[in-house]
CSV table of all heavy atoms in Angstrom, one decimal:
chain,number,residue,atom,x,y,z
A,1,MET,N,29.9,-74.1,54.7
A,1,MET,CA,29.7,-73.0,53.8
A,1,MET,C,30.4,-73.2,52.4
A,1,MET,O,31.3,-74.0,52.3
A,1,MET,CB,30.1,-71.7,54.4
A,1,MET,CG,31.5,-71.3,54.2
A,1,MET,SD,32.0,-69.6,54.9
A,1,MET,CE,31.9,-69.9,56.6
A,2,ARG,N,29.8,-72.7,51.4
A,2,ARG,CA,30.4,-72.8,50.1
A,2,ARG,C,31.8,-72.2,50.1
A,2,ARG,O,32.0,-71.2,50.7
A,2,ARG,CB,29.5,-72.2,49.0
A,2,ARG,CG,28.1,-72.7,49.0
A,2,ARG,CD,27.7,-73.6,47.9
A,2,ARG,NE,28.3,-73.5,46.8
A,2,ARG,CZ,28.8,-74.6,46.0
A,2,ARG,NH1,28.7,-75.8,46.5
A,2,ARG,NH2,29.4,-74.4,44.9
A,3,TYR,N,32.6,-72.8,49.2
A,3,TYR,CA,34.0,-72.4,49.1
A,3,TYR,C,34.0,-70.9,48.7
A,3,TYR,O,34.8,-70.1,49.2
A,3,TYR,CB,34.8,-73.2,48.1
A,3,TYR,CG,36.2,-72.8,47.8
A,3,TYR,CD1,37.2,-73.0,48.7
A,3,TYR,CD2,36.5,-72.0,46.7
A,3,TYR,CE1,38.5,-72.6,48.6
A,3,TYR,CE2,37.8,-71.6,46.5
A,3,TYR,CZ,38.8,-71.8,47.4
A,3,TYR,OH,40.1,-71.5,47.3
A,4,GLU,N,33.2,-70.5,47.7
A,4,GLU,CA,33.3,-69.2,47.2
A,4,GLU,C,32.9,-68.1,48.3
A,4,GLU,O,33.4,-67.1,48.5
A,4,GLU,CB,32.3,-69.0,46.0
A,4,GLU,CG,32.8,-69.7,44.8
A,4,GLU,CD,32.4,-71.2,44.9
A,4,GLU,OE1,31.5,-71.6,45.7
A,4,GLU,OE2,33.0,-72.0,44.1
A,5,THR,N,32.0,-68.5,49.2
A,5,THR,CA,31.5,-67.7,50.3
A,5,THR,C,32.6,-67.5,51.3
A,5,THR,O,32.9,-66.5,51.8
A,5,THR,CB,30.3,-68.4,51.0
A,5,THR,OG1,29.3,-68.5,50.0
A,5,THR,CG2,29.8,-67.5,52.1
A,6,ALA,N,33.4,-68.6,51.6
A,6,ALA,CA,34.5,-68.6,52.5
A,6,ALA,C,35.5,-67.7,52.0
A,6,ALA,O,36.1,-66.9,52.8
A,6,ALA,CB,35.0,-70.0,52.8
A,7,VAL,N,35.9,-67.8,50.7
A,7,VAL,CA,36.9,-66.9,50.1
A,7,VAL,C,36.5,-65.5,50.2
A,7,VAL,O,37.3,-64.6,50.5
A,7,VAL,CB,37.3,-67.4,48.7
A,7,VAL,CG1,38.2,-66.4,48.0
A,7,VAL,CG2,37.9,-68.8,48.7
A,8,ARG,N,35.2,-65.2,49.9
A,8,ARG,CA,34.8,-63.8,50.0
A,8,ARG,C,35.0,-63.3,51.4
A,8,ARG,O,35.3,-62.1,51.7
A,8,ARG,CB,33.4,-63.7,49.5
A,8,ARG,CG,33.2,-63.4,48.1
A,8,ARG,CD,31.8,-62.9,47.6
A,8,ARG,NE,30.7,-63.8,48.1
A,8,ARG,CZ,30.3,-64.9,47.6
A,8,ARG,NH1,30.8,-65.4,46.5
A,8,ARG,NH2,29.3,-65.6,48.1
A,9,ARG,N,34.6,-64.1,52.4
A,9,ARG,CA,34.7,-63.8,53.8
A,9,ARG,C,36.2,-63.5,54.3
A,9,ARG,O,36.4,-62.4,54.9
A,9,ARG,CB,34.1,-64.8,54.7
A,9,ARG,CG,34.0,-64.5,56.1
A,9,ARG,CD,32.9,-63.4,56.3
A,9,ARG,NE,33.2,-62.9,57.6
A,9,ARG,CZ,33.5,-61.7,58.0
A,9,ARG,NH1,33.8,-60.8,57.0
A,9,ARG,NH2,33.6,-61.4,59.2
A,10,VAL,N,37.1,-64.3,53.8
A,10,VAL,CA,38.4,-64.0,54.0
A,10,VAL,C,38.9,-62.8,53.4
A,10,VAL,O,39.7,-62.0,54.0
A,10,VAL,CB,39.3,-65.3,53.5
A,10,VAL,CG1,40.8,-65.0,53.6
A,10,VAL,CG2,39.1,-66.6,54.4
A,11,ARG,N,38.6,-62.5,52.2
A,11,ARG,CA,38.9,-61.3,51.5
A,11,ARG,C,38.5,-60.1,52.3
A,11,ARG,O,39.2,-59.1,52.4
A,11,ARG,CB,38.4,-61.2,50.1
A,11,ARG,CG,39.3,-62.2,49.2
A,11,ARG,CD,38.9,-62.0,47.7
A,11,ARG,NE,39.7,-62.8,46.9
A,11,ARG,CZ,39.2,-63.6,46.0
A,11,ARG,NH1,37.9,-63.6,45.6
A,11,ARG,NH2,40.0,-64.4,45.3
A,12,THR,N,37.2,-60.1,52.7
A,12,THR,CA,36.7,-59.0,53.5
A,12,THR,C,37.5,-58.8,54.8
A,12,THR,O,37.9,-57.7,55.1
A,12,THR,CB,35.3,-59.3,53.9
A,12,THR,OG1,34.5,-59.5,52.7
A,12,THR,CG2,34.6,-58.2,54.7
A,13,VAL,N,37.9,-59.9,55.5
A,13,VAL,CA,38.6,-59.6,56.7
A,13,VAL,C,40.1,-59.2,56.4
A,13,VAL,O,40.6,-58.3,57.1
A,13,VAL,CB,38.8,-61.0,57.5
A,13,VAL,CG1,39.7,-61.0,58.6
A,13,VAL,CG2,37.4,-61.4,58.0
A,14,VAL,N,40.7,-59.7,55.3
A,14,VAL,CA,42.0,-59.1,55.0
A,14,VAL,C,42.0,-57.7,54.6
A,14,VAL,O,42.8,-56.9,55.0
A,14,VAL,CB,42.5,-60.0,53.7
A,14,VAL,CG1,43.8,-59.4,53.2
A,14,VAL,CG2,42.9,-61.4,54.3
A,15,GLU,N,40.9,-57.3,53.9
A,15,GLU,CA,40.8,-55.8,53.5
A,15,GLU,C,40.7,-55.0,54.8
A,15,GLU,O,41.3,-53.9,54.9
A,15,GLU,CB,39.5,-55.6,52.7
A,15,GLU,CG,39.8,-56.2,51.2
A,15,GLU,CD,38.5,-56.2,50.4
A,15,GLU,OE1,37.5,-55.7,50.9
A,15,GLU,OE2,38.6,-56.7,49.2
A,16,GLU,N,39.9,-55.5,55.8
A,16,GLU,CA,39.6,-54.7,57.0
A,16,GLU,C,41.0,-54.7,57.8
A,16,GLU,O,41.3,-53.7,58.4
A,16,GLU,CB,38.6,-55.3,57.8
A,16,GLU,CG,37.2,-55.2,57.3
A,16,GLU,CD,36.9,-53.8,56.9
A,16,GLU,OE1,37.0,-52.9,57.8
A,16,GLU,OE2,36.4,-53.5,55.8
A,17,CYS,N,41.8,-55.8,57.7
A,17,CYS,CA,43.1,-55.9,58.3
A,17,CYS,C,44.0,-54.7,57.8
A,17,CYS,O,44.6,-54.0,58.6
A,17,CYS,CB,43.8,-57.2,58.2
A,17,CYS,SG,43.1,-58.5,59.2
A,18,GLN,N,44.0,-54.6,56.5
A,18,GLN,CA,44.8,-53.6,55.9
A,18,GLN,C,44.3,-52.1,56.3
A,18,GLN,O,45.1,-51.3,56.5
A,18,GLN,CB,44.7,-53.7,54.3
A,18,GLN,CG,45.4,-54.9,53.8
A,18,GLN,CD,46.9,-55.0,54.1
A,18,GLN,OE1,47.6,-54.0,54.1
A,18,GLN,NE2,47.4,-56.1,54.3
A,19,ARG,N,43.0,-52.0,56.4
A,19,ARG,CA,42.4,-50.7,56.8
A,19,ARG,C,42.8,-50.4,58.2
A,19,ARG,O,43.2,-49.2,58.5
A,19,ARG,CB,41.0,-50.7,56.6
A,19,ARG,CG,40.3,-49.4,56.8
A,19,ARG,CD,38.8,-49.4,56.6
A,19,ARG,NE,38.1,-50.3,57.5
A,19,ARG,CZ,37.8,-49.9,58.7
A,19,ARG,NH1,38.1,-48.7,59.2
A,19,ARG,NH2,37.1,-50.7,59.6
A,20,VAL,N,42.7,-51.3,59.2
A,20,VAL,CA,42.9,-50.9,60.5
A,20,VAL,C,44.3,-51.0,61.0
A,20,VAL,O,44.7,-50.4,62.0
A,20,VAL,CB,42.1,-51.9,61.5
A,20,VAL,CG1,40.6,-51.8,61.2
A,20,VAL,CG2,42.6,-53.3,61.5
A,21,ARG,N,45.2,-51.5,60.1
A,21,ARG,CA,46.6,-51.6,60.5
A,21,ARG,C,47.2,-50.2,60.8
A,21,ARG,O,48.0,-50.2,61.7
A,21,ARG,CB,47.4,-52.3,59.4
A,21,ARG,CG,48.8,-52.4,59.6
A,21,ARG,CD,49.5,-53.3,58.4
A,21,ARG,NE,50.8,-53.1,58.5
A,21,ARG,CZ,51.7,-54.0,59.3
A,21,ARG,NH1,51.1,-54.8,60.0
A,21,ARG,NH2,52.9,-53.8,59.2
Side-chain angles (χ1 to χ4, degrees):
M1 86 176 66
R2 303 258 328 133
Y3 177 77
E4 295 79 17
T5 304
V7 169
R8 274 196 306 278
R9 185 70 192 113
V10 168
R11 284 189 180 132
T12 300
V13 172
V14 168
E15 288 169 4
E16 293 305 312
C17 286
Q18 292 297 326
R19 185 178 67 77
V20 303
R21 183 175 163 83

